[in-house]
Amino acid sequence: LKDKDMLTQFVRELTPLLKEQGLVVSMDVTFRSSSENWSMFYDRKALSEVVDYIAVMAYDQHWASSPTAGSVAELSWVENGLKRILEEVPKEKVLLGLPFYTRIWKEEVKNGVVKLSSSAVSMGAVERIIRDRKLEVIWNEESGQNYVEYKDGNAKCMIWIEDDESINLKASLVHKYDLAGAASWRKGFETEDIWMVLRDTLKIKQSYAQWANTFSDSDAAHK
């Protein structure tokens, strides 16, 4: 936190040099929180006045050592965090960061104590687990994601899945809040269909209303 002003000044001095090279300049930031080492050191308003885009890392709601298991980025958490970002950063400079990964949460009892651990995995890895274990996938309305759980030995495993459905919902916020676009973490973790989802949601749909009408029709057909 003590480096906050120096970080901003560094970006002020660096950006013109990058622009001289014909580069587009963006900076990643987290959602706003009370964490000094994770969030408070960003002067988002000042930074947005310097760079071309602010890419919001809208993931790690539940992180590697999180005390509770849960989604990497449930829809309501993303939307609420985005609203707070827009209090400081102009919408035309905001890129919404989308997660191309998820976490496998493992809960097991050791010596009478419940131990929780997690590992980050790609979308393809989750698809293989579902296929190989013949798991039943359940839609979780609260998170806006599909969900599975299964036993691995004595451990209970849980996955809040990032896939075409969850990315479609989160990407729609780009239209809903008229943002500059989307970003992602990280290339190589996605399945091929994700690019078709983003092409359709971000390139073909011209507004949130158009997306909502199409999504409503497809959702009804699905049910």
Side-chain angles (χ1 to χ4, degrees):
L1 181 58
K2 64 181 174 62
D3 297 326
K4 180 175 182 176
D5 292 340
M6 288 189 288
L7 172 61
T8 303
Q9 185 59 28
F10 172 73
V11 175
R12 284 195 185 106
E13 296 182 20
L14 177 64
T15 297
L17 302 177
L18 298 175
K19 301 293 280 185
E20 286 178 4
Q21 302 302 314
L23 299 174
V24 175
V25 183
S26 68
M27 182 166 185
D28 292 2
V29 302
T30 61
F31 278 151
R32 291 166 56 186
S33 82
S34 58
S35 170
E36 292 186 1
N37 290 331
W38 185 76
S39 175
M40 291 178 68
F41 64 89
Y42 290 115
D43 188 337
R44 295 170 182 80
K45 184 177 185 299
L47 290 166
S48 71
E49 294 169 354
V50 178
V51 299
D52 295 305
Y53 298 107
I54 294 289
V56 184
M57 297 181 282
Y59 34 80
D60 271 357
Q61 177 184 3
H62 294 84
W63 59 98
S65 57
S66 180
T68 58
S71 170
V72 163
E74 67 182 39
L75 184 62
S76 61
W77 178 82
V78 171
E79 186 164 12
N80 290 334
L82 178 60
K83 288 177 182 177
R84 297 191 69 204
I85 288 290
L86 292 172
E87 293 172 2
E88 298 181 320
V89 181
K91 62 184 181 180
E92 62 270 15
K93 287 202 169 188
V94 174
L95 302 175
L96 181 64
L98 303 171
F100 286 174
Y101 71 99
T102 189
R103 291 190 176 278
I104 300 175
W105 293 93
K106 184 174 288 189
E107 189 178 86
E108 53 190 329
V109 179
K110 292 183 178 180
N111 300 320
V113 178
V114 177
K115 297 289 186 180
L116 183 67
S117 60
S118 75
S119 57
V121 294
S122 67
M123 292 179 171
V126 174
E127 284 188 347
R128 288 190 292 274
I129 290 171
I130 293 170
R131 182 180 64 248
D132 293 347
R133 292 180 176 269
K134 298 178 173 59
L135 301 177
E136 178 186 6
V137 178
I138 300 170
W139 179 254
N140 184 283
E141 191 67 34
E142 182 179 358
S143 66
Q145 293 170 283
N146 285 306
Y147 172 83
V148 292
E149 63 178 59
Y150 58 95
K151 297 288 285 185
D152 184 10
N154 293 323
K156 174 185 175 182
C157 296
M158 300 161 282
I159 310 175
W160 282 262
I161 304 168
E162 291 294 350
D163 56 16
D164 58 337
E165 292 183 88
S166 68
I167 294 298
N168 180 35
L169 286 173
K170 283 190 270 278
S172 74
L173 297 176
V174 171
H175 287 313
K176 186 173 183 179
Y177 292 94
D178 198 20
L179 308 180
S184 64
W185 180 263
R186 74 166 171 78
K187 192 172 186 298
F189 277 16
E190 79 285 357
T191 48
E192 192 62 33
D193 59 333
I194 296 303
W195 296 115
M196 297 303 295
V197 169
L198 292 177
R199 176 179 176 272
D200 181 51
T201 303
L202 299 180
K203 294 290 187 182
I204 297 177
K205 303 295 189 298
Q206 300 302 314
S207 68
Y208 183 70
Q210 186 183 15
W211 173 88
N213 290 336
T214 305
F215 184 71
S216 177
D217 292 341
S218 64
D219 189 45
H222 177 70
K223 290 178 179 178

